[in-house]
Amino acid sequence: MNFLRGVMGGQPTGPQPTGAETIQKLCDRVASSTLLEDRRDAVRALKSLSKKYRVEVGNMAMDHLVRILQTDRSDTEILGYALDTLYNIVCNDEEEEPEENQQKQEDDLGAQFTDKFVQEPENVTLLLTLLEEFDFHVRWPGVKLLTALLKNQCAQVQGIILVSPMGVSRLMDLLADSREVIRNDGLLLLQQLTKGNAAIQKIVAFENAFERLLDIITEEGSSDGGIVVEDCLLLLLNLLKNNSSNQNFFKEGSYIQKMKPWFEVGDDNSGWSAQKVTNLHLMLQLVRVMVSPVNSPGATASCQKAMFQCGLLQQLCTILMATGVPADILTETINTVSEVIRGSEVNQDYFASVNAPSNPPRPAIVVLLMSMVNERQPFVLRCAVLYCFQCFLYKNHKGQGEIVATLLPSTIDANSISAGQLLCGGLFSADSLSNWCAAVALAHALQDNLTQKEQLLRVQLATSLGKPPVSLLQQCTNILSQGDKLDRRGSRVQTKVGLLMLLCTWISNCPIAVMHFLHNQDNVPFLTGQISENLGEDERLVQGLCALLLGICIYYNDNSLDNYTKEKLKQLIEKRIGKENFVEKLGFITKHELYSRAAQKPQPAFSTPEHMLFDHEFTKLVKELEGMITKAVLKSSEEEKKEEEVKKTLEQHDSIVTQYKELIREQDSQINELKEQVTLLASQNEKMQSTMTQQLSQIQQHKDQYNILKLKLGKDNQQTGNQAEAAHVNGLQPEELSQLREQLEELQRQNQLLQTQLGEKDSLITSLKAEGVSSAEGSTSEVTVLQRELELLKAQLQKQTAEVTQLQSERQELLRGSDTTAAVPGENSLYTEKIAELESRLSAQTAENQKLKAEVKTLLESQESMERDLASATSTAAIMQAEKSKLQQEVQESKKEQDDLLMLLADQDQKILSLKQRLKDLGETIEDEDDLDSKDQFDDDDDEEEEEECDE
């Protein structure tokens, strides 16, 4: 302790030790002391010396401090001292403002000590474990130390944290800490952790980071909040920028809707604080990240739709039209609205309907264009307005038509300012930047829209009093070709480039516009003169654009003007310029240093107005046309003829292909119809099968009824025979005999009628059988069953007829017996008694006969119903036949497969026999399968005998 007091400021008793010596003694004390208090005091002393003697402490004490973190986990105080000391070693002090060289040395020291610390990945894992300690004096310095490590060696520390179990989750817990200082430093830590690492960004996002960050922003006051809101927004930008997975998760989680309250501004927008401006600027950047043109089109479109539906776009337009908004916020809002409406028809239509709060109200587009062509407005604001106008017209044919319509004579309103008038005013103003912006904006109104290119040819401009109006195309070419006007305008390259880009966009892919351009006799000589001259570096771009314009006149020339056909223009180039020279001048465009910069992204981003030369969409047009124009100029007339022949051949081929396509479409439609018919027939088949099942059940019921009737008829016939025998013995009265004759005759008539009907049924069955044999075996089997049943019925009726015939013969014998009995008077009393008995039996027999008639009638009706069912079943014969053929084919295939399997089984049996033989040769005992089969058969026989005994 005396040593420590001397180190910490006690009165010196001898020569003062150097800083290195002191630090070495402290390190020895940390390494060798057994008492925790001694080690704690030594670490505290190292902490106090770590800023002044950073290098010495870092080189000598780092290993001892890491060992303290590993061994003294139970004492939070010594852990806090050790973490603070390590933080002082690796952190570059940003509070002071040292000189540049000194700052560079400190950065090198921080990176050097960070490398030394993270050489052992266990050190970072240990630090993550210490962050679970809730004690403030441990968690807070741990957060700061890990943040410093990430700042110095971001990628290496990210890799260690990524592979550490629950590493990212432990860091996410910092956002839930109730102590704001730890939560705020946790935000800074996560900012460093998520830089440039998509995997960590995804893990953080799926740890519910969006919900927590948005809650913190709301708690801190949204745009009116402090630095914490800024840190949250920076972290959100890290998570979402260039990360499609997190963007989709943000959209699907309905977090876009939670952004709307951020942009609610009041009427009084004066006195915005710098922090509020920063916060709102970051919020607008966050919206732009979700709808950036570099994102996939589908993701951008879905985010644009969500922003319109939740009212976010409407809120942004309110800021756009509000007064008192700072210039940089207004500029960023314009850029944000631009990307929210870019390519979205619904959003573009809404933006077209927005009016500025002026008297009278003016469309927001008109107000923005007024700022664009006003040279007193800031340059960045004018660029933002141009970008907004371009995004409004991107893939918006309706909006393009509305802009061009404001230039047409029939729609011009002298009492109001239109977008077309502002564009024309900017196109021909004295400000070169206004010329360029207006030309580019008008070119976007014609982009990929042949109709509007032709409509714009109708625009007439009044140049001066007493002179006839000239077309807009003529005026643009006049400004380019007339040298005195160019001199009066300063011969500015920017103006020339803007007008040439407008003309190239206008006449490309529009033969009518090419004809109008060539109709002016001064245009072609001016272009050839510009291309052939040897101008300075600044004019080389103009030469390239003139070559491009002349090449477009060749490529899209329909040869309607005799003086300027394709061939004559190529001859003119060859004589006055030279084909190689022309191609070289055409290449000046893509070789320009500003061309590649403009081709990177749609937003015009220029450091100075002088660099504003190329438009993004125009660079795509140049890329598309350069190769085609070069080929068109270098090709000879013979090659062109060959190409025309090839084109004709291709057209013929295309026509043939078109015919085949139409044929294929027709066949597809027919196939679809047939499929529908097959589906319908299949459903009908199912219905018919169900109907047949019902019919079969009905037939079975009829069979049962028939069997019952047959039994009853047998009983009736037996009773009738007994009555006949009694009548033969006892005799009958003449009246009763006559009634019995009538009944027999009636039965004979019914018998004949049944035979006639049976004959008709036989013929019908024969015809159905012939048809069924040719149509389907299923229907034939049903008809055969019905025929058998009817034959049985016929046999039964024949039997009944024979019985009736026998009854008639017995009746005749009875009549003869009655005559004999009448001759003996003594037997009358006995005869009378038997007659009474016979009458009662006859009445019973008569009732039975009536009942039998009713049952026969019912049977006939059932027979007719069966005939109708048979007719309906015959109609399905064709379908059943098709199914039969299909089943036969499947049976044949199954037989083939069975044969193959039998062959394989035979081979397998042969192999098994050979293997058994080899085993027998080797002395192994093998039980044959035949023996096993015989045993199984014997067991089966025993089972069957037991079952028979049980049944008995």
Side-chain angles (χ1 to χ4, degrees):
M1 296 300 293
N2 293 330
F3 170 73
L4 290 176
R5 280 195 292 270
V7 171
M8 300 301 293
Q11 295 295 326
T13 59
Q16 286 284 342
T18 62
E21 293 174 350
T22 304
I23 292 168
Q24 184 61 50
K25 291 179 180 179
L26 291 172
C27 292
D28 294 340
R29 180 63 61 88
V30 170
S32 60
S33 295
T34 57
L35 294 177
L36 178 61
E37 290 80 3
D38 292 344
R39 293 197 301 274
R40 185 190 305 130
D41 292 337
V43 174
R44 185 190 299 116
L46 286 173
K47 173 189 172 184
S48 63
L49 296 173
S50 59
K51 289 188 178 181
K52 184 176 181 180
Y53 298 100
R54 181 181 179 187
V55 177
E56 291 81 1
V57 174
N59 290 329
M60 289 187 252
M62 181 174 286
D63 294 337
H64 299 291
L65 294 172
V66 172
R67 195 173 299 110
I68 287 293
L69 296 178
Q70 294 171 347
T71 58
D72 292 331
R73 295 284 298 275
S74 59
D75 188 70
T76 58
E77 188 176 357
I78 194 173
L79 290 178
Y81 292 150
L83 291 171
D84 283 331
T85 307
L86 289 172
Y87 172 73
N88 292 335
I89 293 171
V90 302
C91 177
N92 300 315
D93 194 357
E94 299 177 356
E95 295 180 359
E96 300 178 358
E97 295 183 0
E99 296 180 358
E100 183 177 354
N101 293 333
Q102 184 179 354
Q103 180 65 39
K104 185 176 180 181
Q105 291 176 359
E106 290 187 358
D107 292 343
D108 294 340
L109 280 176
Q112 176 185 347
F113 290 130
T114 301
D115 285 337
K116 184 178 179 181
F117 185 83
V118 301
Q119 277 179 357
E120 297 294 334
E122 294 80 6
N123 295 341
V124 180
T125 306
L126 175 63
L127 188 56
L128 292 173
T129 306
L130 292 174
L131 290 179
E132 295 181 351
E133 181 66 43
F134 187 74
D135 189 273
F136 180 81
H137 297 91
V138 177
R139 181 174 264 196
W140 187 39
V143 171
K144 293 192 296 182
L145 175 58
L146 188 56
T147 305
L149 294 174
L150 284 166
K151 286 182 179 179
N152 295 333
Q153 293 293 338
C154 187
Q156 192 172 355
V157 179
Q158 282 176 339
I160 298 172
I161 295 175
L162 190 60
V163 299
S164 177
M166 301 296 291
V168 179
S169 299
R170 292 170 180 170
L171 300 181
M172 285 298 300
D173 292 339
L174 299 174
L175 297 182
D177 200 304
S178 58
R179 296 159 293 191
E180 290 189 1
V181 62
I182 294 180
R183 183 198 67 183
N184 298 342
D185 284 348
L187 289 172
L188 299 177
L189 170 61
L190 290 172
Q191 284 181 26
Q192 298 296 328
L193 179 66
T194 55
K195 281 184 177 179
N197 193 309
I200 293 180
Q201 290 169 1
K202 292 178 182 178
I203 296 173
V204 172
F206 283 95
E207 288 285 344
N208 204 22
F210 294 139
E211 186 75 29
R212 296 184 185 181
L213 293 174
L214 292 175
D215 289 342
I216 294 173
I217 291 172
T218 303
E219 293 171 3
E220 295 292 329
S222 296
S223 60
D224 294 324
I227 189 68
V228 178
V229 174
E230 179 182 351
D231 292 337
C232 291
L233 293 171
L234 288 172
L235 179 55
L236 284 172
L237 284 173
N238 283 352
L239 295 175
L240 292 174
K241 195 170 185 179
N242 299 324
N243 194 318
S244 58
S245 175
N246 284 0
Q247 290 173 7
N248 185 61
F249 182 65
F250 191 84
K251 177 182 69 68
E252 295 296 335
S254 300
Y255 297 117
I256 291 178
Q257 289 79 350
K258 296 184 179 181
M259 298 167 64
K260 180 189 174 184
W262 296 353
F263 304 102
E264 293 177 355
V265 296
D267 298 332
D268 185 13
N269 295 314
S270 60
W272 284 30
S273 64
Q275 187 61 54
K276 182 175 181 179
V277 172
T278 302
N279 291 344
L280 201 57
H281 197 275
L282 290 173
M283 290 172 178
L284 292 169
Q285 286 186 2
L286 196 60
V287 176
R288 293 186 64 185
V289 165
M290 298 299 297
V291 293
S292 175
V294 300
N295 298 341
S296 63
T300 301
S302 60
C303 290
Q304 289 172 335
K305 181 180 179 181
M307 290 178 183
F308 175 77
Q309 291 177 346
C310 73
L312 180 58
L313 174 59
Q314 295 84 333
Q315 204 67 46
L316 293 174
C317 291
T318 302
I319 298 176
L320 194 65
M321 295 292 105
T323 57
V325 179
D328 52 348
I329 293 297
L330 181 61
T331 302
E332 189 64 21
T333 303
I334 294 173
N335 289 327
T336 305
V337 171
S338 305
E339 295 182 351
V340 173
I341 67 174
R342 187 176 188 269
S344 175
E345 183 179 356
V346 176
N347 294 2
Q348 289 168 340
D349 291 342
Y350 170 77
F351 184 70
S353 65
V354 175
N355 289 323
S358 59
N359 192 13
R362 289 177 178 172
I365 298 173
V366 173
V367 176
L368 292 175
L369 288 178
M370 291 172 67
S371 301
M372 186 185 72
V373 297
N374 187 354
E375 56 184 316
R376 292 190 296 273
Q377 294 292 338
F379 172 66
V380 290
L381 179 63
R382 299 175 73 181
C383 291
V385 173
L386 176 61
Y387 183 47
C388 184
F389 191 74
Q390 292 173 350
C391 292
F392 170 68
L393 297 178
Y394 182 72
K395 294 184 179 180
N396 185 8
H397 291 277
K398 179 183 176 182
Q400 290 175 329
E402 292 173 353
I403 296 298
V404 173
T406 59
L407 289 167
L408 299 178
S410 58
T411 58
I412 292 177
D413 186 3
N415 297 324
S416 63
I417 300 176
S418 65
Q421 293 173 1
L422 290 171
L423 291 177
C424 283
L427 191 62
F428 306 121
S429 70
D431 180 28
S432 61
L433 185 58
S434 297
N435 300 153
W436 190 91
C437 291
V440 170
L442 196 56
H444 276 264
L446 307 175
Q447 195 76 37
D448 299 328
N449 196 327
L450 181 60
T451 303
Q452 302 310 321
K453 291 178 182 180
E454 296 176 355
Q455 287 292 324
L456 199 62
L457 296 172
R458 298 170 49 203
V459 177
Q460 300 291 322
L461 300 176
T463 55
S464 60
L465 294 175
K467 292 186 178 180
V470 297
S471 66
L472 178 60
L473 180 65
Q474 184 67 39
Q475 184 66 13
C476 293
T477 56
N478 288 342
I479 293 173
L480 282 173
S481 60
Q482 295 177 10
D484 56 339
K485 291 187 177 182
L486 286 173
D487 292 339
R488 183 159 50 83
R489 294 175 182 275
S491 298
R492 290 182 292 270
V493 174
Q494 197 172 41
T495 301
K496 293 180 182 179
V497 170
L499 290 172
L500 286 169
M501 286 195 301
L502 172 60
L503 290 173
C504 290
T505 305
W506 192 346
I507 70 173
S508 65
N509 200 22
C510 185
I512 298 176
V514 172
M515 183 188 68
H516 279 75
F517 180 79
L518 294 176
H519 193 270
N520 187 347
Q521 301 295 326
D522 299 330
N523 290 340
V524 174
F526 167 73
L527 294 178
T528 55
Q530 288 286 319
I531 298 169
S532 60
E533 290 181 4
N534 293 322
L535 302 176
E537 291 292 329
D538 295 337
E539 295 291 337
R540 293 181 68 181
L541 177 58
V542 176
Q543 286 185 312
L545 291 173
C546 290
L548 178 65
L549 185 60
L550 186 57
I552 293 173
C553 293
I554 295 174
Y555 189 79
Y556 292 106
N557 196 333
D558 58 358
N559 297 326
S560 58
L561 294 177
D562 296 335
N563 295 332
Y564 294 110
T565 60
K566 287 184 179 181
E567 188 62 31
K568 290 183 179 180
L569 287 175
K570 288 197 293 185
Q571 292 175 1
L572 184 64
I573 290 173
E574 188 173 2
K575 290 179 181 178
R576 296 190 180 181
I577 304 172
K579 292 184 177 181
E580 291 77 9
N581 190 24
F582 177 85
V583 174
E584 182 184 359
K585 297 293 177 68
L586 183 61
F588 286 165
I589 301 174
T590 54
K591 292 177 182 177
H592 200 279
E593 58 180 353
L594 297 177
Y595 175 86
S596 57
R597 188 183 304 175
Q600 292 176 359
K601 57 182 181 179
Q603 182 182 0
F606 306 101
S607 56
T608 61
E610 291 75 16
H611 290 167
M612 207 168 186
L613 292 178
F614 285 104
D615 173 57
H616 177 75
E617 292 296 329
F618 181 74
T619 59
K620 295 196 292 187
L621 180 66
V622 172
K623 184 179 180 180
E624 177 186 354
L625 293 178
E626 184 179 10
M628 296 189 296
I629 291 174
T630 302
K631 291 180 182 179
V633 171
L634 296 178
K635 281 188 301 188
S636 62
S637 58
E638 295 180 356
E639 291 177 348
E640 283 190 352
K641 290 180 180 179
K642 291 181 180 179
E643 281 196 358
E644 289 179 358
E645 292 177 357
V646 171
K647 285 182 179 179
K648 291 180 180 178
T649 306
L650 290 175
E651 288 176 357
Q652 293 176 357
H653 180 267
D654 291 340
S655 64
I656 294 172
V657 171
T658 304
Q659 293 176 0
Y660 277 114
K661 286 181 178 179
E662 292 177 355
L663 179 61
I664 291 170
R665 290 193 191 97
E666 292 177 358
Q667 291 177 349
D668 288 339
S669 62
Q670 292 176 359
I671 289 171
N672 292 330
E673 291 177 358
L674 291 173
K675 286 181 179 179
E676 292 176 357
Q677 292 179 4
V678 168
T679 305
L680 180 61
L681 291 174
S683 62
Q684 291 179 354
N685 185 22
E686 292 177 358
K687 292 180 181 179
M688 293 298 296
Q689 287 180 352
S690 62
T691 305
M692 287 175 64
T693 304
Q694 295 176 0
Q695 291 175 356
L696 290 174
S697 63
Q698 292 177 0
I699 290 170
Q700 186 63 36
Q701 293 176 1
H702 294 328
K703 286 181 180 179
D704 297 338
Q705 293 176 2
Y706 173 75
N707 292 330
I708 293 170
L709 289 174
K710 185 169 67 173
L711 293 174
K712 289 183 178 180
L713 284 174
K715 292 179 181 179
D716 293 341
N717 290 332
Q718 186 177 0
Q719 292 176 359
T720 304
N722 295 332
Q723 291 175 359
E725 291 176 359
H728 178 71
V729 175
N730 301 323
L732 293 174
Q733 293 294 332
E735 295 83 2
E736 294 173 352
L737 292 175
S738 62
Q739 291 178 358
L740 188 57
R741 289 192 191 98
E742 292 176 357
Q743 291 177 1
L744 289 174
E745 291 175 357
E746 181 67 24
L747 289 174
Q748 288 178 354
R749 286 194 298 271
Q750 291 179 0
N751 186 18
Q752 292 177 359
L753 179 61
L754 288 174
Q755 288 180 355
T756 305
Q757 292 177 353
L758 285 174
E760 293 176 355
K761 299 303 180 295
D762 290 337
S763 61
L764 179 61
I765 289 170
T766 304
S767 62
L768 289 174
K769 184 177 179 181
E771 294 176 357
V773 169
S774 61
S775 59
E777 290 184 1
S779 299
T780 304
S781 61
E782 294 177 2
V783 172
T784 304
V785 171
L786 292 174
Q787 185 178 5
R788 289 175 181 175
E789 292 176 358
L790 290 172
E791 287 177 353
L792 291 174
L793 180 61
K794 182 178 178 181
Q796 187 66 32
L797 290 174
Q798 287 178 354
K799 183 178 180 181
Q800 183 181 0
T801 303
E803 292 176 355
V804 170
T805 304
Q806 184 180 358
L807 182 60
Q808 186 176 5
S809 62
E810 290 177 356
R811 179 179 62 83
Q812 291 176 359
E813 291 176 0
L814 184 60
L815 288 174
R816 288 193 298 270
S818 63
D819 294 337
T820 307
T821 306
V824 183
E827 296 179 355
N828 286 337
S829 60
L830 181 62
Y831 177 75
T832 303
E833 292 176 359
K834 291 182 179 181
I835 286 298
E837 183 182 358
L838 186 59
E839 285 178 356
S840 63
R841 293 177 62 186
L842 281 175
S843 61
Q845 183 65 32
T846 303
E848 290 293 332
N849 286 336
Q850 293 295 331
K851 185 176 180 181
L852 181 61
K853 289 179 182 180
E855 290 178 354
V856 170
K857 184 177 180 181
T858 303
L859 182 60
L860 291 174
E861 292 175 355
S862 299
Q863 225 173 356
E864 292 176 357
S865 175
M866 290 170 62
E867 291 173 0
R868 289 194 299 270
D869 295 339
L870 183 60
S872 63
T874 306
S875 63
T876 61
I879 299 173
M880 302 301 290
Q881 180 65 24
E883 293 179 354
K884 174 193 169 186
S885 60
K886 184 177 179 180
L887 290 172
Q888 288 177 347
Q889 185 177 359
E890 292 178 356
V891 168
Q892 291 177 357
E893 293 176 357
S894 300
K895 287 182 179 179
K896 291 181 181 178
E897 293 177 358
Q898 188 177 6
D899 294 338
D900 296 336
L901 289 173
L902 290 174
M903 293 291 291
L904 291 173
L905 288 173
D907 295 338
Q908 190 68 22
D909 291 339
Q910 188 65 31
K911 291 180 181 178
I912 290 171
L913 291 175
S914 62
L915 291 173
K916 285 182 178 181
Q917 186 63 38
R918 291 179 62 186
L919 289 172
K920 289 180 180 179
D921 296 339
L922 293 173
E924 294 291 335
T925 303
I926 298 173
E927 193 173 27
D928 292 337
E929 291 184 357
D930 296 337
D931 299 336
L932 295 175
D933 293 341
S934 62
K935 290 181 180 179
D936 294 340
Q937 183 66 31
F938 180 74
D939 294 337
D940 292 340
D941 294 340
D942 293 341
D943 294 340
E944 290 178 359
E945 290 177 359
E946 290 177 1
E947 290 178 358
E948 290 177 358
E949 291 176 358
C950 292
D951 293 339
E952 292 176 358

